Each structure stands twice: as structure tokens, then as C-alpha cells.
Amino acid sequence: MRYLVTGGAGFIGSNFIRFLFRKYGSDAHVVNLDKLTYAGIRENLAEYEGKKNYRFIHGDITNPADVAEAYSGSIDVVVNFAAETHVDRSLMEAGSFIQTDVHGVLVLLEEARKHAPNLKRFVQISTDEVYGSIERGSFKETDMLNPRNPYSASKAGGDRMAYAYAQTYGLPVIITRASNNFGPWQYPEKLIPLFVTNAIDDLPLPLYGDGRNVRDWLFVEDHCAAIDFLIERGATSEVYNVGGGNERENRDITRRILQMLAKPESLIKPVGDRQGHDRRYSLDTTKLERLGFKCSTNFDDGLRRTVQWYVENEAWWRAIKERSAEFRDYYAKQYGGR
Ligand code: NAD
Ligand code: DAU
């Protein structure tokens, strides 16, 4: 199989490429198209550089020429991870979210029509955030979309554009809507890696609002396995929820991280809430389970592995948190005086 993975230098994309090479070895050929934004780190996949079945292209999914080049080697499967992904950043500046998460998806779809006539599957990685917040019960794939922040509104645009290309042109699109991922290689702006790395350094853990917002946590390797499963078993035009079945309040996750690192709860610092903060995400995953897929990672085991990874890979996250001026500026703007 020849895969075009976009955003493969980011968190889930790099885990997915590693998953493919572990599972399929030299039978998997991967083109990784990534713009290397602040969140893209080419060195995440340094072990594959120079191998004949891996090619990195430094390019932008909003640029038709970059995308045409990526399609040039006869691609069987596209998995589009490339996106601006952080809700807090979308509250500071939303233009780049529209550009990549909506227009970029359009360019990928349009260029697929021109340059990939034999494409077997186009996977649009969407998110549970497109449904909005839910107080009770869980969202099904047929529920109305009600995105409530600029990030999720952009992702909803990309999600529906991919659907439109399946309906209009018969492109073999499937759409996945996953819940909150966690695991190794996650950029330390997101809740779990930020809190783990702050706790290691005895820095405050800035918990938004009352800390009782609920997210459903999905170990990244389970997410990768679900995408691989759906490439085989999913049906064109269909949407699939991918959830971990691990709903937790943020304050409980925070305490668990502190316990695992043997750090005091006094590090928790309640701070002003995120604007428009979605209270709870919850997915009904019956559709995926009926096809035969089930996640295999227990939440506590996944969290322990994640904490351990950050303990053992200090050089990786310190290069971001301590040596990236972009990150330091972002952190000061996001948390300073909060
Ligand atoms: P990430 O921020 O870690 O990585 C995003 C990657 O996309 C980076 O490598 C970045 O350089 C690249 N990128 C950004 N703009 C680009 C462009 N215009 N052209 C090419 N590359 C570009 O993100 P992630 O957490 O790995 O998320 C991957 C995908 O999964 C996203 O589409 C996101 O919306 C979706 N998703 C994430 C989660 C989660 O919890 N992290 C959950 C559900 C869905
Ligand atoms: O649900 C899927 C989505 O999960 C993905 O589509 C997004 O790309 C991904 O970023 C993630 O969005 P969230 O906003 O849920 O993730 P984040 O890690 O930013 O926040 C998780 C929860 O923790 C949320 O309720 C906000 C809270 N939080 C977050 C940060 C960064 C804090 O309390 N303090 C913080 O400093």
C-alpha cells in the first residue's frame, strides 16, 4: 500500500506512520506531507529518514503544487491529519484554522480527483468536537453538528467538504471523529503533556474553571489501530466515531498525573476558564464496535506509559518548552496573568 499521510510530523500522524511500519514493514510506502508549523517536528520520525519506503515532503496542504507532488507516486490511501489543532490558539487567531482545516481539505480532495484516479481510500480525520458539548448521553454519527469554537467550526467545514466530495464525485472518503488522544510525542501545549511536564519541574498546573469539564480519553495507539481498521472495513461516505470509553473530569486526570509522579496536589492552580469551554464530550461508538473494532488500552496503563515516556524523553519536550521562543511567547500570552 502507498500511503499519503499529511501532518505526519505531528502527534497522531507520527504515531500512525510508526504504527504502519511496525505492522506492515516494507510493504508500507509512506509519503509524509507536512508544513512543519510550530507543532510539526520532522525529527519525530528521524529513524525512517533515508529508507526507501519513506519520503518526507516539506509542503502545505493549501498549496496545490505541493499536494500534486505528494500524489505523484501513485497513492492508494490518503490519511489527512494536517490541521491547526489547539482550541486555545484558535481563540487567539482563527484565520490559519480556516485556511488549513477547511481550505486545505478542499485542495487535498480536488487534487485527488486530478492526480489519484485509483485512490482506494481518503480518510478525513475529524473530531468529536464537531458535535459540540453534551450534558447527558452520547453523540451518534447521525446527530446534528454544533461546533462551538473556531477550531471545531473549521474542522466541521473540512468534515463536510470531504463528505461533499464523496457524494458529488464518488471520491472514496470516510470520516472519523475521534475523542481526546493522549500518548507519547504529544506537543506539550495540550492538557496531559503540559501537566506532566510542568509537574516534573514543580511548576503550577493551570486547571481551567472548576476543573469538572469531561473529555473521553483515547490512547493514541488505539486511535491508529482504528484508522487502519477503517481503511479496510469502512464504507465510502460513512462517518465513524472513535472514542476511548474513558470519560474523566479534568481535575481527576490532574490528580492521577500528580500521584503517578509523586507530586503534591498543591501544584494545581485553578485559573480563569477557557472562553466558550465545552463542558462534556461523549461518543457513542456502537457503529465502529459492530464492525468488529475495540480499543485495547486500559486508561490507567495508557496514562502510566505516557507519563513514563515524558520522564524518559526530557530532551524532546525541553527543546520545545525551554528553547522554542514561539512556545515561550505562546505560554506567556496564554497563562501570564491568568
Ligand atoms: P498536531 O498539532 O500535533 O499536528 C498537526 C500537524 O499538521 C503538524 O505536524 C503540522 O506541522 C501539520 N500541519 C499544520 N498545518 C499544515 C498545512 N497547512 N499543511 C501541511 N501540514 C500542516 O495535531 P494532532 O493532535 O496530531 O492532530 C492530528 C489530527 O487529528 C488533526 O486533524 C486533529 O484535528 C485531529 N484530532 C486530534 C485529536 C487530539 O486529541 N489530538 C482528537 C481528534 C481529532
Ligand atoms: O476532543 C478532541 C479534541 O481534543 C481535538 O480535536 C483537539 O485537536 C485536541 O486539542 C483536544 O481538544 P481539547 O480542547 O479537549 O484539549 P486540551 O488538551 O486543550 O484540553 C483538554 C481539557 O483540559 C479541556 O477541558 C481544557 C482543559 N485544560 C487544557 C489546558 C491546555 C486546562 O484545564 N488547562 C490547560 O492548560
Side-chain angles (χ1 to χ4, degrees), residues 139-174:
F139 286 119
K140 286 191 166 61
E141 288 84 350
T142 45
D143 281 331
M144 190 183 92
L145 303 192
N146 185 26
R148 300 178 66 251
N149 62 60
Y151 161 70
S152 53
S154 306
K155 289 295 291 184
D159 177 315
R160 291 299 81 192
M161 189 62 77
Y163 180 76
Y165 267 64
Q167 291 294 304
T168 312
Y169 304 112
L171 215 68
V173 168
I174 62 170

Short mmCIF file of all heavy atoms in Angstrom, two decimals, residues 139-174:
data_model
loop_
_atom_site.label_atom_id
_atom_site.label_comp_id
_atom_site.label_asym_id
_atom_site.label_seq_id
_atom_site.Cartn_x
_atom_site.Cartn_y
_atom_site.Cartn_z
N PHE A 139 -23.05 11.27 21.67
CA PHE A 139 -23.38 11.59 20.28
C PHE A 139 -23.22 10.38 19.36
O PHE A 139 -22.23 9.66 19.43
CB PHE A 139 -22.45 12.70 19.77
CG PHE A 139 -22.76 14.07 20.32
CD1 PHE A 139 -21.81 14.76 21.07
CD2 PHE A 139 -23.99 14.67 20.06
CE1 PHE A 139 -22.09 16.04 21.56
CE2 PHE A 139 -24.27 15.95 20.54
CZ PHE A 139 -23.32 16.62 21.30
N LYS A 140 -24.22 10.23 18.48
CA LYS A 140 -24.13 9.25 17.40
C LYS A 140 -23.70 9.98 16.12
O LYS A 140 -23.87 11.19 16.01
CB LYS A 140 -25.52 8.66 17.12
CG LYS A 140 -26.03 7.68 18.14
CD LYS A 140 -27.28 7.01 17.53
CE LYS A 140 -27.69 5.78 18.29
NZ LYS A 140 -28.04 6.07 19.69
N GLU A 141 -23.24 9.21 15.15
CA GLU A 141 -22.75 9.78 13.89
C GLU A 141 -23.83 10.56 13.15
O GLU A 141 -23.54 11.46 12.36
CB GLU A 141 -22.24 8.67 12.96
CG GLU A 141 -20.92 8.02 13.39
CD GLU A 141 -21.09 6.91 14.42
OE1 GLU A 141 -22.20 6.74 14.97
OE2 GLU A 141 -20.09 6.22 14.70
N THR A 142 -25.11 10.22 13.40
CA THR A 142 -26.21 10.88 12.71
C THR A 142 -26.67 12.16 13.40
O THR A 142 -27.56 12.85 12.90
CB THR A 142 -27.41 9.91 12.61
OG1 THR A 142 -27.57 9.30 13.90
CG2 THR A 142 -27.17 8.83 11.56
N ASP A 143 -26.09 12.46 14.56
CA ASP A 143 -26.52 13.66 15.28
C ASP A 143 -26.07 14.94 14.55
O ASP A 143 -25.12 14.94 13.78
CB ASP A 143 -25.97 13.65 16.71
CG ASP A 143 -26.80 12.74 17.61
OD1 ASP A 143 -28.01 12.58 17.34
OD2 ASP A 143 -26.24 12.16 18.55
N MET A 144 -26.81 15.99 14.86
CA MET A 144 -26.53 17.30 14.26
C MET A 144 -25.14 17.81 14.68
O MET A 144 -24.72 17.54 15.80
CB MET A 144 -27.59 18.26 14.79
CG MET A 144 -27.65 19.59 14.13
SD MET A 144 -28.91 20.56 14.97
CE MET A 144 -27.93 21.38 16.19
N LEU A 145 -24.48 18.52 13.79
CA LEU A 145 -23.20 19.14 14.17
C LEU A 145 -23.49 20.51 14.81
O LEU A 145 -24.34 21.25 14.32
CB LEU A 145 -22.29 19.31 12.96
CG LEU A 145 -21.94 18.05 12.18
CD1 LEU A 145 -20.80 18.31 11.19
CD2 LEU A 145 -21.57 16.89 13.10
N ASN A 146 -22.77 20.78 15.89
CA ASN A 146 -22.98 22.05 16.58
C ASN A 146 -21.66 22.57 17.17
O ASN A 146 -21.53 22.73 18.38
CB ASN A 146 -24.03 21.85 17.69
CG ASN A 146 -24.40 23.15 18.38
OD1 ASN A 146 -24.29 24.23 17.78
ND2 ASN A 146 -24.80 23.07 19.64
N PRO A 147 -20.65 22.78 16.28
CA PRO A 147 -19.34 23.19 16.80
C PRO A 147 -19.44 24.54 17.48
O PRO A 147 -20.17 25.41 17.01
CB PRO A 147 -18.48 23.26 15.53
CG PRO A 147 -19.43 23.47 14.42
CD PRO A 147 -20.69 22.77 14.80
N ARG A 148 -18.69 24.73 18.57
CA ARG A 148 -18.88 25.91 19.40
C ARG A 148 -17.63 26.76 19.58
O ARG A 148 -17.62 27.67 20.40
CB ARG A 148 -19.43 25.49 20.77
CG ARG A 148 -20.78 24.76 20.67
CD ARG A 148 -21.29 24.30 22.02
NE ARG A 148 -21.61 25.41 22.89
CZ ARG A 148 -20.90 25.75 23.96
NH1 ARG A 148 -19.83 25.08 24.29
NH2 ARG A 148 -21.28 26.77 24.70
N ASN A 149 -16.54 26.40 18.88
CA ASN A 149 -15.35 27.27 18.94
C ASN A 149 -14.72 27.31 17.55
O ASN A 149 -15.06 26.49 16.68
CB ASN A 149 -14.36 26.78 20.03
CG ASN A 149 -13.83 25.39 19.76
OD1 ASN A 149 -13.20 25.16 18.72
ND2 ASN A 149 -14.08 24.45 20.66
N PRO A 150 -13.83 28.28 17.30
CA PRO A 150 -13.30 28.43 15.93
C PRO A 150 -12.59 27.18 15.43
O PRO A 150 -12.67 26.85 14.25
CB PRO A 150 -12.35 29.62 16.06
CG PRO A 150 -12.87 30.40 17.22
CD PRO A 150 -13.41 29.40 18.19
N TYR A 151 -11.87 26.46 16.31
CA TYR A 151 -11.22 25.22 15.88
C TYR A 151 -12.27 24.22 15.40
O TYR A 151 -12.17 23.68 14.29
CB TYR A 151 -10.39 24.62 17.03
CG TYR A 151 -10.08 23.14 16.83
CD1 TYR A 151 -9.17 22.73 15.84
CD2 TYR A 151 -10.71 22.15 17.60
CE1 TYR A 151 -8.91 21.37 15.64
CE2 TYR A 151 -10.45 20.81 17.40
CZ TYR A 151 -9.55 20.42 16.42
OH TYR A 151 -9.30 19.08 16.21
N SER A 152 -13.26 23.96 16.24
CA SER A 152 -14.22 22.89 15.87
C SER A 152 -15.10 23.31 14.69
O SER A 152 -15.50 22.46 13.88
CB SER A 152 -15.05 22.46 17.08
OG SER A 152 -15.67 23.55 17.71
N ALA A 153 -15.37 24.62 14.57
CA ALA A 153 -16.15 25.08 13.40
C ALA A 153 -15.35 24.83 12.12
O ALA A 153 -15.90 24.40 11.10
CB ALA A 153 -16.49 26.55 13.55
N SER A 154 -14.03 25.06 12.18
CA SER A 154 -13.19 24.81 11.00
C SER A 154 -13.16 23.33 10.68
O SER A 154 -13.27 22.92 9.52
CB SER A 154 -11.76 25.31 11.25
OG SER A 154 -11.78 26.65 11.65
N LYS A 155 -13.00 22.51 11.72
CA LYS A 155 -12.96 21.06 11.49
C LYS A 155 -14.28 20.57 10.91
O LYS A 155 -14.30 19.65 10.07
CB LYS A 155 -12.65 20.31 12.79
CG LYS A 155 -11.23 20.47 13.29
CD LYS A 155 -10.17 19.87 12.36
CE LYS A 155 -10.20 18.36 12.31
NZ LYS A 155 -9.08 17.83 11.47
N ALA A 156 -15.38 21.17 11.33
CA ALA A 156 -16.69 20.77 10.78
C ALA A 156 -16.75 21.10 9.29
O ALA A 156 -17.31 20.33 8.49
CB ALA A 156 -17.82 21.46 11.54
N GLY A 157 -16.14 22.24 8.92
CA GLY A 157 -16.10 22.60 7.49
C GLY A 157 -15.34 21.56 6.68
O GLY A 157 -15.79 21.12 5.62
N GLY A 158 -14.18 21.14 7.18
CA GLY A 158 -13.39 20.12 6.48
C GLY A 158 -14.11 18.78 6.41
O GLY A 158 -14.08 18.09 5.38
N ASP A 159 -14.74 18.44 7.51
CA ASP A 159 -15.51 17.18 7.62
C ASP A 159 -16.59 17.14 6.54
O ASP A 159 -16.72 16.18 5.76
CB ASP A 159 -16.08 17.18 9.05
CG ASP A 159 -16.99 16.03 9.43
OD1 ASP A 159 -17.86 15.69 8.61
OD2 ASP A 159 -16.87 15.51 10.55
N ARG A 160 -17.35 18.22 6.43
CA ARG A 160 -18.45 18.23 5.46
C ARG A 160 -17.96 18.40 4.03
O ARG A 160 -18.61 17.95 3.08
CB ARG A 160 -19.47 19.34 5.83
CG ARG A 160 -20.26 19.07 7.10
CD ARG A 160 -21.11 17.80 7.04
NE ARG A 160 -20.38 16.58 7.30
CZ ARG A 160 -20.86 15.35 7.08
NH1 ARG A 160 -22.05 15.17 6.59
NH2 ARG A 160 -20.12 14.30 7.33
N MET A 161 -16.82 19.06 3.84
CA MET A 161 -16.26 19.17 2.49
C MET A 161 -15.85 17.78 1.99
O MET A 161 -16.10 17.42 0.82
CB MET A 161 -15.06 20.12 2.49
CG MET A 161 -14.56 20.46 1.09
SD MET A 161 -15.82 21.30 0.10
CE MET A 161 -15.71 22.94 0.81
N ALA A 162 -15.25 16.99 2.87
CA ALA A 162 -14.85 15.63 2.48
C ALA A 162 -16.10 14.81 2.12
O ALA A 162 -16.13 14.10 1.10
CB ALA A 162 -14.09 14.96 3.63
N TYR A 163 -17.15 14.96 2.92
CA TYR A 163 -18.40 14.26 2.63
C TYR A 163 -18.97 14.70 1.27
O TYR A 163 -19.43 13.88 0.46
CB TYR A 163 -19.40 14.55 3.75
CG TYR A 163 -20.74 13.88 3.56
CD1 TYR A 163 -20.90 12.52 3.80
CD2 TYR A 163 -21.85 14.63 3.13
CE1 TYR A 163 -22.14 11.90 3.63
CE2 TYR A 163 -23.08 14.01 2.95
CZ TYR A 163 -23.22 12.66 3.20
OH TYR A 163 -24.43 12.05 3.02
N ALA A 164 -18.89 15.99 1.01
CA ALA A 164 -19.42 16.52 -0.25
C ALA A 164 -18.69 15.91 -1.45
O ALA A 164 -19.31 15.61 -2.48
CB ALA A 164 -19.27 18.05 -0.27
N TYR A 165 -17.38 15.70 -1.32
CA TYR A 165 -16.63 15.11 -2.43
C TYR A 165 -16.95 13.63 -2.62
O TYR A 165 -16.84 13.11 -3.74
CB TYR A 165 -15.12 15.35 -2.26
CG TYR A 165 -14.69 16.62 -2.97
CD1 TYR A 165 -15.17 17.86 -2.55
CD2 TYR A 165 -13.85 16.58 -4.07
CE1 TYR A 165 -14.81 19.02 -3.21
CE2 TYR A 165 -13.48 17.74 -4.75
CZ TYR A 165 -13.98 18.97 -4.31
OH TYR A 165 -13.63 20.11 -4.97
N ALA A 166 -17.34 12.96 -1.57
CA ALA A 166 -17.79 11.56 -1.72
C ALA A 166 -19.14 11.55 -2.43
O ALA A 166 -19.35 10.80 -3.39
CB ALA A 166 -17.91 10.90 -0.35
N GLN A 167 -20.03 12.42 -2.00
CA GLN A 167 -21.38 12.46 -2.57
C GLN A 167 -21.37 12.95 -4.02
O GLN A 167 -22.06 12.41 -4.88
CB GLN A 167 -22.28 13.40 -1.74
CG GLN A 167 -22.59 12.88 -0.37
CD GLN A 167 -23.45 11.63 -0.42
OE1 GLN A 167 -24.52 11.63 -1.00
NE2 GLN A 167 -22.98 10.54 0.17
N THR A 168 -20.59 14.00 -4.27
CA THR A 168 -20.65 14.65 -5.58
C THR A 168 -19.82 13.92 -6.64
O THR A 168 -20.27 13.74 -7.77
CB THR A 168 -20.14 16.10 -5.47
OG1 THR A 168 -20.77 16.72 -4.35
CG2 THR A 168 -20.43 16.90 -6.73
N TYR A 169 -18.61 13.51 -6.23
CA TYR A 169 -17.68 12.96 -7.23
C TYR A 169 -17.35 11.48 -7.00
O TYR A 169 -16.52 10.92 -7.71
CB TYR A 169 -16.37 13.76 -7.23
CG TYR A 169 -16.58 15.24 -7.46
CD1 TYR A 169 -16.34 16.16 -6.45
CD2 TYR A 169 -17.04 15.71 -8.70
CE1 TYR A 169 -16.53 17.52 -6.66
CE2 TYR A 169 -17.24 17.07 -8.91
CZ TYR A 169 -16.99 17.96 -7.89
OH TYR A 169 -17.18 19.31 -8.10
N GLY A 170 -17.95 10.89 -5.98
CA GLY A 170 -17.69 9.47 -5.70
C GLY A 170 -16.29 9.20 -5.17
O GLY A 170 -15.81 8.06 -5.23
N LEU A 171 -15.63 10.24 -4.62
CA LEU A 171 -14.31 10.00 -4.03
C LEU A 171 -14.48 9.05 -2.82
O LEU A 171 -15.41 9.21 -2.04
CB LEU A 171 -13.72 11.35 -3.57
CG LEU A 171 -12.22 11.52 -3.72
CD1 LEU A 171 -11.84 11.59 -5.21
CD2 LEU A 171 -11.76 12.79 -3.03
N PRO A 172 -13.57 8.08 -2.65
CA PRO A 172 -13.78 7.05 -1.61
C PRO A 172 -13.44 7.55 -0.20
O PRO A 172 -12.54 7.05 0.47
CB PRO A 172 -12.84 5.92 -2.04
CG PRO A 172 -11.75 6.63 -2.78
CD PRO A 172 -12.36 7.81 -3.46
N VAL A 173 -14.23 8.52 0.23
CA VAL A 173 -13.95 9.21 1.50
C VAL A 173 -14.60 8.48 2.67
O VAL A 173 -15.75 8.04 2.57
CB VAL A 173 -14.54 10.64 1.44
CG1 VAL A 173 -14.54 11.30 2.82
CG2 VAL A 173 -13.78 11.49 0.43
N ILE A 174 -13.87 8.36 3.79
CA ILE A 174 -14.52 8.10 5.08
C ILE A 174 -14.08 9.18 6.05
O ILE A 174 -13.01 9.80 5.87
CB ILE A 174 -14.23 6.70 5.67
CG1 ILE A 174 -12.75 6.51 5.97
CG2 ILE A 174 -14.75 5.59 4.77
CD1 ILE A 174 -12.48 5.25 6.77
#
